[in-house]
Structure formats: structure tokens, C-alpha cells
Amino acid sequence: MLEIKNVTKKYGNKVAINNLSLEVKDGEIFGFIGHNGAGKTTIIKAIVGIHEFDEGQILIDNKSIKDFPLECKKKIAYVPDNPDIYNSFSGIDYLNFIADIYEVSLEKREELIKKYSDMFELTESLGDLIESYSHGMKQKLTIISALIHEPKLLVLDEPFVGLDPISSKRLKDTMRSLCDDGVCIFFSSHVLEVVEKICDRIAIIKDGRLIEVGKTKDLTKKKDLEKVFLEIENEK
Amino acid sequence: MKNKLFILFKNNLINTYQVKKTTPKKLILIIVVGLYILGSLIGSLYMFLKTMFDTLLTSGIADYFIPILMIIATIFSFFFTIFSAKSVLFDSKDNNLLLSLPIKRSTIFTSRLLVLIFMNFLINLLFMIPGLCIYIKNISCTIIFYIMIPIILILLPVIPTILASLFGYVVAKITALSKRKNIVEIICYILFIGIYLFFITKAKNLLFLLTDNVLLLNNIIKYIGYPIYLIEKFLVTNNIIYIGIYIIINLSLFTLFVLILSKKYFSIISRLSSHSKKGVYKEKQLISKSKREALNIKEIKRYFSSAIYVFNTAFGVIFFLIGSVASIFYKPDVLTKLVSTNIELDSYSLVLYFMLMVVGFTMTTNSSISIERNNFWILKMLPIETKDIFASKKHVNRLVTLPAVILGLIIFTISSYITPLQLLILVVICIIYNLFICNFGLICNLLFPKMDAINDTIIVKQSAASFVGIMVPLVFTIIIIGVLSTLNLSFQNMALIILAFVIVLWIISNRVLYTWGIKKFKEIA
């Protein structure tokens, strides 16, 4: 579903992503970890078409995001690390706007908005302006907006930040259930326990380079992910 | 205290003008364009002020030149600040951060007030530099004059800034009490404009009346603008005691204002950042829209969510409508008064120039990308063509401009300023010129994006895109008026020349926007 081939991204002389390649298959939850400034958000923004990149290719369902941005974006949903959304919209207006852009049918959008807003306990606040929402509520709204057009690839950047424990649990369950339905999930997080628990495969990135990638069960055969991460970070 | 104030003031300026972020290439471009526009502005102001100085000199009251200059600069900077004071002082994005830091509230308030004063100082220089050049060239000045003039200039913006901030405070106080903050804010500004227009019509030909009546001029300066009266006294007597009093008055007012307002500051900011909730959401039937419609609605909502954005861009069309309604009751001289020109023109030329000026000024697109600020990722991530995004931004500009201007033109036709045929031609020019203005605004914004502004005022009023976006149509209209007035052409010929010109501009801007512009849009992150 997602193929990153030799991608390099520079900010002036600074190399943010250095010749990075990896592949994520359908129905797979792929965890992406690294210290602050390692390049996680940069590669995520390149995948979803926010950032341009200098070299390489990113393929979504075998189509290049550079050459076919619209087709690719229709299959992607993105939850950013900071839920900055239109404050002058009410929650329901924002969800309806997203549904309009992704051309979701009326029946489908009503069904999915109800399903996910009930799940994340946001239904009661959907009529309020987003400017009155807390950080966690905005985060829930971006998650719901990412799910209502039934994406094939879900890209999540620190999705658990700001969520209460119940919503956090429900998001994890939803990720697993989407995965079972064949959706591909690519997500970054600093909460290594969560990554270890729900990811099928994990990649570790440092200074824009991929330094480790493998199945979660292989990486954590002898020690927990935190120790593995710290050892790899120190070694390389 | 002193240090923190300086740090905050410096940071505010850096955030406002993006001093550190500007690349050398862009800096050169800004300097070249800025110098060209400033040069044209100062040049035309020089000619206007020279005429005024000669009139005063002939009447034997050249000493009043500097005080009158100060009055003009004061009024202008007051107007500039009145629509931005509330936003700069109360609506900044960094309120929560600054209030959580160990900094006195009065320091935060003072630093923001200083930013407004600094901006007004720059505006004042526009008038004072050419004015002082004329004065120094024609009147022999003493050494004390040269020493004192920087002090006079530095303190000149203090009082208009305080007055405008006081208005901003009242607007903030009223809007803080209301649920529909933006609507209330827009109503406050419209009321202010109404009051302003009322006084302007009452003060008919005030400037010329004043230059003819020395006693009246002296009394007005003495009782209404006492600090300026002190400067006038200093110019006549060369006694620095007057400058001493001038300094004391300005600094006392500044200190008093800061002391009183900073006590109320925190409660207003808290109230402005609190939002009402509708209560439990009741499910309703959703309405499905096309991508284009959804984008258009999103753009309109964003536009009306910012009072400063609305007012800064809809100002011209409001004036145009007021002018057209007034044309039913008055002869063409009412328009002359509104566009502030003394050139003798036919009524159709007046309407044409007025319309060009208004369509040029009504530019929402030059801020429309920067105004996305932290929400920009949404547009970049969604499956939408860049040209559709541009179209939705241009749609808002058209919506604000065309219905109001066309309605105004129809009213001008009813009041017999223009014929029905002229109406048709003017509508065509208006539509095509607006197409160019929409494109040009977007090009300006793509050239000078400002995605990290701490409030909307910085984007709408103080960014390079807003400056270039307004100045270029202004210079364009002035050139057209200048050239066509001297050629003494018939309406048809004049309209044809303008039409041909705006069509060319529109085609060029379209080409630039849909090639370079799309590429540039993708680069903005």
C-alpha cells in the first residue's frame, strides 16, 4: 500500500531525510519511532503530500504522490501531531466539509459520523464552535474526520497525545479493527508501550536515516522496545 | 522590568516583520519594491505638501505648516491604528504563553502598545519627511530645531496611538460581553465610520477654511491639539521649555494609560478567549455539497470570522455604496469630497476613477493564503486541485466586490451620474479589473507568504503581501487618472483604453498564477 523509495528531503543544507526506503503492506500497523527532530513528522508530511521532497519516490497503492497527488490523497487520511483546525466551524460543519471534499455519500457520512463521534464521546459537542474545544476534543475531531471517508492508508502523527484513557483505548481498538479490514496504518509515537503493543512492524529513524526495521515480535524477543530503542540509539 | 520590556518589544517586531526569516534574495526584492512604492508615495505627498506650504507662505502663516503637518500625520496614524489596536493588544496568539511567564501584565501591555507606536512612527515619517524637507528648504532653522525634531517625531505617535487603543479597548470590552464577537466587532467599526462620515460632512472644506482664518486655526490647535500647539510655540519662540512640556505631556499620558489599562488587561483577554457553548447537539439532516461549494463556504466562513479582515477589505465598497446613495441627493461634488480630489472632472469620469480605486482596494486574496495560518495543512492534505483552492479564494474577493460595486453603479445611473450604456461598460471594466485584482492578490500572497503570524492584523495590515497588494493598484489608478485627465478623452475612448489595459493585465496575471503560482503554492509548508 505504501512504498517509500530512497526519499531525501533537505532544508537548505540540512538533510532532514536521508535516502529513506520502506514498505508498508495492506492490513499492517506500522510504528515509526525516533527521538525529537529525527525526521518522523517530515516523512509523514511528505507521505500525505504536505511537504515536497527532493529525491526518491513515495507510492500510494502503486501511484506516486508527486505525479498523482489527488488520486493518492483520496486514499489517505492524516491526523497531525497538533490538531489545528478551523476555529470558526462547528464540529459537525467541519466533518461535513471533509465529507464533501472526499465526496462521501450522505448516508455513509451520517452513519460514520454517528458511529465515531459516539465512540469518542464527542456527539454532544458537535454543534459547538471548534474554538470552544479543548485540545483533546480537537484531537478526537481530527481522528473522526480521518475515518469518515474510509481511507485505505491512515497516517497518524502522535495520535494519542491529548486523548483521555477511554478514547485512547477506543482508538487502539479501532486501529486494530481497521487493520483487520485491510487498512494500512502508519503511525509515529513516543509512547513505546503502545507501539510495542499494537504494531505489527516497527521502524526506528535517527537523523533522517532508517536505522532499524523489523517485526515487533522479532525486535522485542529478548527485551522490551524501550531497551531496544535506547540500545540502537546509543549504538548507531 | 526594562529588560523584559525590551525583549518582548523586540520579539513582537521580529514576529511582525519576520526579520530573521527573510532570505537575502527576498529582502532585496522587498527593499526594491518598498523603495519604489515609498518613493512614489513620498514624491506625490511632497507635491501636495508643497502646494499647501506655498498657500500658507503667501498668507504669511508658514509657522503653522509643521503643526498642520503634525495634525495630518496624527489623523492618518489614528485611522491606521483604530482598526488594528484591538487585534494587536488583545487578540495575539501568544497571550497564553506570555501570561504564563513571570512577566508583569503591564509589561506585556506596554510592549504591544510600543509596537503600535512604532508602526505609527513609520507612518508619520511618510508625511513628516517630505514636509520637513520643504520647511527646511524654505525657512532658516536653528540648531535647536534640528536637535529637537527627532524628539518631536518620536513622541508624535503617542497620543493618536493612545486614542486608537482606547477605542480598541472599548471594542474589546463590548465584544468580550457578546456571544457573536465578530459581528459585534464589525458593527463597532461601522458605527465609527458612520460617526466619522457625519463629522466629515459637517467639517466642509475645513483645511481651506483654516488656512483662511488664522485665529480659528490657532484656537483649534490650542484647544484640541495642545501638544501640537506647544510645537507651534516652540517654532515661533525657539524656547525649549515648550518642548519640555510636550515631552512631559506625552510621557505622562502614556504612563497613565498603561497604568489604568493594564489593570483591566487580563480580565478582557480572559473574556475574549472564553467561548460560549450551544449545549447538547441535536442530530440534523446533513446537506451534501460539491467540492467547489464546500471550499467556497469554508472560505466565506473564514473571511467573516475575522473582523479586521472584513473591515480592512470591505472598507472601499462601503464607501462606494455610501457615495452612490449620496449621489441621489447631491451633485457630483459630493463624490469629489469622498475621493479627496480637487481635479475638475465629468461625473462619469468621477464614477470610473472612484470605481477603479474601490475595486483595487477591495483585495481579500492578498491575505487569503497567509490567513490559513496553522490550518494550512488541511488544504495541502485534502484531495483538491490547487486551482480549485485559488478559485475559492477568488470567489470571496468577487463576492465582496462585485455585488456592492454593481449596485453602486446602478444607483449612480439612477441619480444620472452615468448613462445606462456607461453603466454597462463600467460593469464590464469592473468585472475584468476584479479578475485581475483577485489574481494579483494571490500572486502577492504567494510571493510573500506569512504563515506564522500571531494575529490576523499582522497578515491583513502589516505583511509585505498586503502592502504591495494595496499599493500597486493605488499607483495604477493614480497613473490612469493622471494620464487620462491630461488627454481629455471622451468616455468611450477612455473606457476602451482602460478595458484593453485591464484585459492585458488579467491575461498576464492568469498565466503567472496558474504556472508559477501553483508551483509556489506547493512549496509553502
Side-chain angles (χ1 to χ4, degrees):
Chain A
M1 181 70 210
L2 169 66
E3 274 180 89
I4 301 171
K5 290 180 178 173
N6 311 106
V7 168
T8 297
K9 163 84 184 166
K10 291 175 190 163
Y11 293 111
N13 292 327
K14 190 185 178 290
V15 182
I17 302 292
N18 194 353
N19 200 29
L20 191 136
S21 298
L22 51 87
E23 192 180 343
V24 189
K25 295 185 181 73
D26 289 351
E28 188 175 45
I29 302 184
F30 192 91
F32 199 51
I33 57 176
H35 60 80
N36 292 330
K40 300 187 298 295
T41 299
T42 306
I43 194 72
I44 281 177
K45 286 187 173 175
I47 294 169
V48 300
I50 293 178
H51 274 317
E52 296 213 304
F53 45 93
D54 304 297
E55 288 163 34
Q57 262 195 326
I58 295 178
L59 304 177
I60 315 287
D61 217 4
N62 296 319
K63 283 198 167 167
S64 161
I65 184 85
K66 261 189 179 172
D67 302 331
F68 303 96
L70 253 55
E71 283 101 303
C72 291
K73 284 176 181 181
K74 276 182 185 167
K75 292 172 187 164
I76 307 175
Y78 167 56
V79 175
D81 53 347
N82 210 345
D84 288 312
I85 39 182
Y86 304 129
N87 278 334
S88 51
F89 278 54
S90 66
I92 189 70
D93 286 344
Y94 179 69
L95 294 176
N96 206 32
F97 167 71
I98 296 291
D100 282 334
I101 297 294
Y102 283 98
E103 295 163 320
V104 181
S105 72
L106 265 180
E107 298 74 35
K108 199 77 199 167
R109 76 176 71 172
E110 277 174 353
E111 178 203 324
L112 292 177
I113 288 173
K114 173 136 185 56
K115 176 183 166 187
Y116 290 118
S117 54
D118 282 351
M119 180 188 286
F120 290 104
E121 295 170 331
L122 200 67
T123 312
E124 286 192 1
S125 307
L126 284 181
D128 295 328
L129 288 179
I130 293 170
E131 66 182 7
S132 69
Y133 281 21
S134 68
H135 182 276
M137 289 162 84
K138 285 183 186 174
Q139 184 72 354
K140 288 176 184 178
L141 194 69
T142 50
I143 292 169
I144 297 167
S145 71
L147 299 172
I148 54 171
H149 63 95
E150 299 181 307
K152 283 189 170 179
L153 169 64
L154 193 55
V155 181
L156 311 163
D157 196 357
E158 299 286 354
F160 300 102
V161 175
L163 291 187
D164 54 69
I166 297 170
S167 302
S168 220
K169 169 80 173 71
R170 285 180 181 164
L171 177 61
K172 281 180 245 170
D173 293 345
T174 308
M175 284 164 77
R176 180 45 64 197
S177 126
L178 287 169
C179 220
D180 294 341
D181 293 340
V183 174
C184 164
I185 298 175
F186 184 90
F187 92 105
S188 82
S189 178
H190 287 299
V191 192
L192 298 182
E193 294 82 12
V194 175
V195 177
E196 186 175 350
K197 208 170 166 186
I198 63 171
C199 289
D200 302 311
R201 283 200 303 145
I202 295 167
I204 301 173
I205 182 176
K206 188 181 180 184
D207 299 330
R209 283 182 300 113
L210 194 66
I211 52 172
E212 191 68 64
V213 60
K215 286 186 177 170
T216 312
K217 58 182 179 189
D218 294 341
L219 283 171
T220 57
K221 208 177 264 175
K222 289 176 184 162
K223 11 184 151 150
D224 64 31
L225 186 60
E226 189 179 45
K227 281 185 183 151
V228 175
F229 176 69
L230 291 173
E231 273 178 19
I232 292 173
E233 275 276 313
N234 291 333
E235 273 172 27
K236 301 185 181 179
Chain B
M1 156 80 190
K2 209 175 183 181
N3 242 345
K4 282 178 185 171
L5 178 63
F6 176 72
I7 293 165
L8 284 182
F9 176 62
K10 194 184 82 180
N11 284 348
N12 277 334
L13 285 185
I14 290 170
N15 282 332
T16 307
Y17 299 105
Q18 272 189 328
V19 183
K20 283 183 180 170
K21 275 190 163 182
T22 313
T23 57
K25 207 174 152 189
K26 211 174 213 179
L27 196 66
I28 292 168
L29 184 69
I30 292 172
I31 291 171
V32 171
V33 175
L35 281 180
Y36 170 73
I37 293 168
L38 279 179
S40 324
L41 256 179
I42 290 179
S44 42
L45 274 171
Y46 183 91
M47 285 188 282
F48 166 73
L49 294 173
K50 183 80 176 75
T51 320
M52 197 174 87
F53 179 81
D54 291 341
T55 317
L56 291 171
L57 195 65
T58 325
S59 314
I61 48 168
D63 286 335
Y64 285 102
F65 180 66
I66 296 288
I68 290 175
L69 205 60
M70 290 171 77
I71 291 173
I72 296 172
T74 301
I75 292 171
F76 204 83
S77 50
F78 173 70
F79 263 91
F80 183 82
T81 322
I82 203 129
F83 300 114
S84 54
K86 188 220 162 214
S87 179
V88 171
L89 293 176
F90 300 99
D91 296 337
S92 289
K93 204 168 67 177
D94 56 357
N95 278 342
N96 289 347
L97 170 72
L98 293 181
L99 288 168
S100 71
L101 296 174
I103 310 171
K104 280 184 183 174
R105 284 161 196 171
S106 59
T107 311
I108 300 171
F109 181 70
T110 312
S111 72
R112 288 177 179 171
L113 197 62
L114 285 176
V115 169
L116 286 175
I117 290 176
F118 180 74
M119 287 179 330
N120 280 338
F121 170 73
L122 297 179
I123 291 169
N124 286 348
L125 288 184
L126 272 180
F127 295 92
M128 297 307 287
I129 288 174
L132 283 170
C133 288
I134 295 165
Y135 189 77
I136 291 163
K137 212 171 145 188
N138 292 282
I139 307 280
S140 62
C141 301
T142 60
I143 290 286
I144 300 170
F145 174 83
Y146 289 108
I147 297 169
M148 292 301 152
I149 207 72
I151 299 170
I152 295 171
L153 289 180
I154 289 168
L155 292 175
L156 182 61
V158 171
I159 291 175
T161 309
I162 288 175
L163 288 174
S165 302
L166 209 58
F167 181 80
Y169 164 74
V170 173
V171 174
K173 183 104 180 143
I174 297 168
T175 50
L177 297 171
S178 155
K179 281 184 182 176
R180 306 300 297 265
K181 294 183 172 61
N182 294 318
I183 294 170
V184 173
E185 198 176 334
I186 291 169
I187 291 170
C188 285
Y189 290 136
I190 289 174
L191 279 176
F192 169 77
I193 290 294
I195 294 166
Y196 163 76
L197 284 175
F198 174 77
F199 280 108
I200 280 293
T201 45
K202 291 282 168 201
K204 193 180 174 187
N205 291 329
L206 185 66
L207 197 62
F208 293 100
L209 190 73
L210 291 178
T211 49
D212 287 345
N213 193 333
V214 183
L215 189 66
L216 182 66
L217 176 64
N218 197 42
N219 282 341
I220 283 186
I221 292 176
K222 187 172 177 180
Y223 295 113
I224 297 176
Y226 187 70
I228 295 174
Y229 170 73
L230 292 169
I231 301 301
E232 180 216 322
K233 278 287 180 198
F234 162 72
L235 292 171
V236 175
T237 61
N238 222 20
N239 188 344
I240 56 165
I241 294 283
Y242 292 109
I243 296 293
I245 304 171
Y246 174 78
I247 295 169
I248 291 167
I249 287 177
N250 276 293
L251 292 184
S252 311
L253 279 173
F254 180 79
T255 315
L256 204 67
F257 185 70
V258 168
L259 283 176
I260 296 169
L261 255 277
S262 49
K263 282 188 179 161
K264 306 268 181 192
Y265 195 50
F266 181 66
S267 69
I268 290 182
I269 287 180
S270 304
R271 275 191 171 236
L272 283 172
S273 58
S274 64
H275 305 283
S276 60
K277 300 206 175 205
K278 279 185 181 170
V280 179
Y281 168 69
K282 288 190 183 83
E283 272 180 58
K284 56 180 181 185
Q285 177 79 42
L286 296 175
I287 300 162
S288 157
K289 292 172 287 294
S290 69
K291 276 189 191 187
R292 274 283 187 102
E293 278 177 306
L295 270 178
N296 287 345
I297 290 170
K298 176 246 147 201
E299 284 300 323
I300 292 165
K301 273 192 180 175
R302 180 64 187 93
Y303 177 70
F304 284 105
S305 71
S306 169
I308 185 80
Y309 192 16
V310 172
F311 219 78
N312 208 52
T313 49
F315 194 83
V317 288
I318 293 171
F319 260 87
F320 193 73
L321 279 175
I322 292 170
S324 63
V325 173
S327 73
I328 298 171
F329 307 103
Y330 298 95
K331 293 279 175 214
D333 67 316
V334 71
L335 260 178
T336 317
K337 204 189 298 167
L338 277 171
V339 294
S340 305
T341 168
N342 298 315
I343 309 164
E344 283 297 321
L345 294 169
D346 300 311
S347 56
Y348 62 74
S349 308
L350 268 175
V351 177
L352 171 67
Y353 297 153
F354 193 11
M355 184 199 77
L356 285 178
M357 194 73 93
V358 166
V359 175
F361 271 170
T362 313
M363 190 186 282
T364 63
T365 47
N366 60 346
S367 308
S368 60
I369 294 170
S370 300
I371 210 95
E372 295 282 342
R373 282 156 63 177
N374 295 344
N375 302 144
F376 190 56
W377 68 271
I378 301 174
L379 286 184
K380 297 272 311 238
M381 175 272 294
L382 290 174
I384 324 165
E385 295 271 11
T386 309
K387 61 180 170 54
D388 286 340
I389 296 171
F390 289 168
S392 66
K393 295 192 179 296
K394 292 198 283 184
H395 175 76
V396 173
N397 206 143
R398 273 198 300 274
L399 202 71
V400 176
T401 314
L402 295 183
V405 174
I406 293 172
L407 177 66
L409 289 173
I410 293 169
I411 300 172
F412 276 122
T413 317
I414 294 166
S415 56
S416 301
Y417 271 59
I418 50 174
T419 64
L421 178 69
Q422 287 169 343
L423 166 71
L424 274 178
I425 297 169
L426 287 182
V427 168
V428 174
I429 294 176
C430 166
I431 291 170
I432 297 174
Y433 187 40
N434 173 259
L435 288 173
F436 161 68
I437 286 296
C438 294
N439 286 347
F440 182 70
L442 276 172
I443 292 168
C444 287
N445 204 174
L446 289 165
L447 196 59
F448 304 110
K450 185 154 182 60
M451 311 307 292
D452 59 351
I454 53 168
N455 57 50
D456 288 353
T457 306
I458 292 174
I459 296 162
V460 174
K461 286 183 89 80
Q462 296 152 21
S463 64
S466 67
F467 182 70
V468 178
I470 289 301
M471 284 305 162
V472 171
L474 176 72
V475 172
F476 165 74
T477 315
I478 289 172
I479 291 170
I480 287 211
I481 295 174
V483 172
L484 295 184
S485 316
T486 49
L487 291 178
N488 205 16
L489 296 169
S490 68
F491 175 81
Q492 274 81 355
N493 288 339
M494 198 157 66
L496 273 175
I497 292 172
I498 294 173
L499 194 59
F501 198 48
V502 292
I503 287 174
V504 171
L505 287 176
W506 171 50
I507 291 168
I508 295 170
S509 65
N510 236 20
R511 178 93 184 130
V512 174
L513 184 64
Y514 290 104
T515 50
W516 171 87
I518 288 179
K519 200 169 153 265
K520 187 78 183 138
F521 182 84
K522 286 176 182 163
E523 284 170 13
I524 301 172

